[in-house]
Amino acid sequence: MTPLVRWARTHPRALDATLALAVLVCMIAGSFVDHSNAGGGSYTWGARTPNPLSLVLMVLGAAALVFRRAAPMCVLAATATVSVAELATGDPRASVVMSAVIALFTVAAHTDRPTTWRVGLATMATLTGVAMLAGPLPWYAQENLGIFAWTGMAAAAGDAVRSRRAFVDAIRERAERAERTREEEARRRVAEERLRIARDLHDVVAHHIALVNVQAGVAAHVMDKRPDQAKEALGHVREASRSALNELRATVGLLRQTGDPEAPTEPAPGLDRLDDLVDTFRHAGLPVEVARAQDAPQLPAAVDLAAFRIVQEALTNVQKHAGQGAKAEVSVVRVGPNVEVSVLDDGPGVALAPDPEDGNGGHGLLGMRERVTALRGTLTAGPRYGGGFRVHAILPVKDRATDTTSGDATT
């Protein structure tokens, strides 16, 4: 934006005053020109002098233009009035109608098209009719037809300016709306990613810390009488802590910015690591039986990760809350377009009950429910009849809408 354009936008009244002065100069200069076509088709300068009334009307018409943006209709009425007075009484006629032409352009540029049509036709008819019927020149004089042409062009030009301004504003508004939409989508994706990372961190920390707690308790219990078993328990503690650190490093690595040290590139855990997961609980003293098809097809990454985390969190809750002597059963089966994950236990305790030492118990179930909901699945969790607890998740492998569309296309 140039300094002149910036000044014009910040000082509209000063710009209108400058325009009014320029119009006044043009009207006064035009009043000294003999409009009667002299020999050879030229106009003579200084062949006539405007009368004092015409000068007064020119000054009034130009002065009204200073307020053309603040009150365009009132300015048009004022300039049309002085133009009618000049057309009816001026002899020789001065160019006062120029102020009405500028005022009509302003009205067309700042109102809608129907208003431009009504006001433009009324102004054209009034000024042209007065010039033809009440002026000193014959009705068919070229100057009378020029008034009709100039007022019509002023209305058309003003309407074109208004249309272009509306078009540019619409484009700018669409661009701003698109920018806002992109920002909102970016914020939504950031919030979803933060929630996903928070769930992963909770699952990793809860699982491994529970195992470390159990194995540390075993080591402390048998340290004096069976040091070999205590040494084995401490080895499991070390392995669980190392695994926790690796998973935490992989999860937190997603939050690194450009230029930070390179994050781990190992894939997210899935059901292919289910046996390793179950072994950690078996080493911690929790008997776990697994039932799943060995030749099951590969699941999508999001479903695979969610199924793994659900089993991990459910077994962690069994380890923490089911009590001594509890057994767990894990089942992962494919049923139609879904994969169903079930974790059962027969412990006497109440699964998922808040730990007395943990003031924020129950977050594991909430995390599992959020994971399943994100995949448009369902999760049920509650006590079993006869004792124990059951966690059952149904995860859609494919979106139902996609399956329906594919089926229709095949048919």
Side-chain angles (χ1 to χ4, degrees), residues 328-347:
E329 299 179 6
V330 177
S331 173
V332 180
V333 296
R334 180 75 177 267
V335 181
N338 305 321
V339 59
E340 297 188 9
V341 180
S342 300
V343 179
L344 314 176
D345 72 82
D346 58 356

Side-chain angles (χ1 to χ4, degrees), residues 123-184:
T123 304
M124 293 165 58
T126 300
L127 295 180
T128 306
V130 171
M132 289 181 174
L133 300 178
L137 299 177
W139 68 270
Y140 53 83
Q142 183 178 358
E143 293 183 17
N144 297 336
L145 298 178
I147 294 174
F148 181 84
W150 279 107
T151 52
M153 287 189 296
D159 184 71
V161 170
R162 178 197 56 78
S163 298
R164 183 182 181 279
R165 186 185 298 119
F167 177 72
V168 172
D169 291 342
I171 293 178
R172 184 181 295 110
E173 181 182 359
R174 284 197 296 269
E176 293 175 353
R177 189 185 307 116
E179 183 66 23
R180 289 195 300 269
T181 302
R182 285 194 296 269
E183 292 177 355
E184 292 172 358

Side-chain angles (χ1 to χ4, degrees), residues 3-261:
L4 181 59
V5 174
R6 188 182 300 109
W7 176 86
R9 290 186 177 182
T10 55
H11 302 83
R13 184 60 59 82
L15 178 63
D16 291 340
T18 304
L19 176 62
L21 180 60
V23 170
L24 178 61
V25 172
C26 293
M27 289 190 296
I28 293 176
S31 64
F32 286 93
V33 177
D34 186 4
H35 294 266
S36 60
N37 197 355
S42 60
Y43 294 96
T44 58
W45 171 262
R48 63 175 185 171
T49 302
N51 56 54
L53 178 59
S54 296
L55 291 174
V56 172
L57 294 177
M58 285 187 284
V59 172
L60 293 177
L65 292 178
V66 177
F67 308 97
R68 67 187 186 95
R69 300 195 202 190
M73 287 294 187
C74 295
V75 171
L76 177 60
T79 54
T81 300
V82 297
S83 298
V84 167
E86 171 61 23
L87 293 173
T89 61
D91 188 15
R93 183 182 294 171
S95 303
V96 181
V97 73
M98 185 184 295
S99 61
V101 170
I102 301 297
L104 180 59
F105 170 85
T106 304
V107 170
H110 291 82
T111 57
D112 54 9
R113 182 162 294 170
T115 302
T116 300
W117 274 95
R118 292 193 299 268
V119 175
L121 289 176
T123 304
M124 293 165 58
T126 300
L127 295 180
T128 306
V130 171
M132 289 181 174
L133 300 178
L137 299 177
W139 68 270
Y140 53 83
Q142 183 178 358
E143 293 183 17
N144 297 336
L145 298 178
I147 294 174
F148 181 84
W150 279 107
T151 52
M153 287 189 296
D159 184 71
V161 170
R162 178 197 56 78
S163 298
R164 183 182 181 279
R165 186 185 298 119
F167 177 72
V168 172
D169 291 342
I171 293 178
R172 184 181 295 110
E173 181 182 359
R174 284 197 296 269
E176 293 175 353
R177 189 185 307 116
E179 183 66 23
R180 289 195 300 269
T181 302
R182 285 194 296 269
E183 292 177 355
E184 292 172 358
E185 179 67 14
R187 286 194 294 269
R188 184 185 66 81
R189 290 182 180 274
V190 168
E192 291 178 352
E193 185 66 13
R194 287 176 176 174
L195 181 61
R196 187 190 67 80
I197 292 174
R199 288 196 298 262
D200 285 344
L201 288 175
H202 172 271
D203 293 344
V204 170
V205 172
H207 163 62
H208 291 289
I209 295 302
L211 294 181
V212 168
N213 183 45
V214 171
Q215 295 291 351
V218 171
H221 182 69
V222 300
M223 179 67 72
D224 296 332
K225 298 181 179 180
R226 302 187 61 181
D228 55 337
Q229 188 174 354
K231 184 177 180 180
E232 181 181 357
L234 292 176
H236 291 315
V237 169
R238 181 180 180 183
E239 185 65 25
S241 61
R242 182 187 298 111
S243 178
L245 289 175
N246 291 336
E247 291 200 39
L248 286 174
R249 188 180 299 111
T251 303
V252 177
L254 299 174
L255 302 177
R256 297 184 185 275
Q257 303 294 328
T258 303
D260 289 345

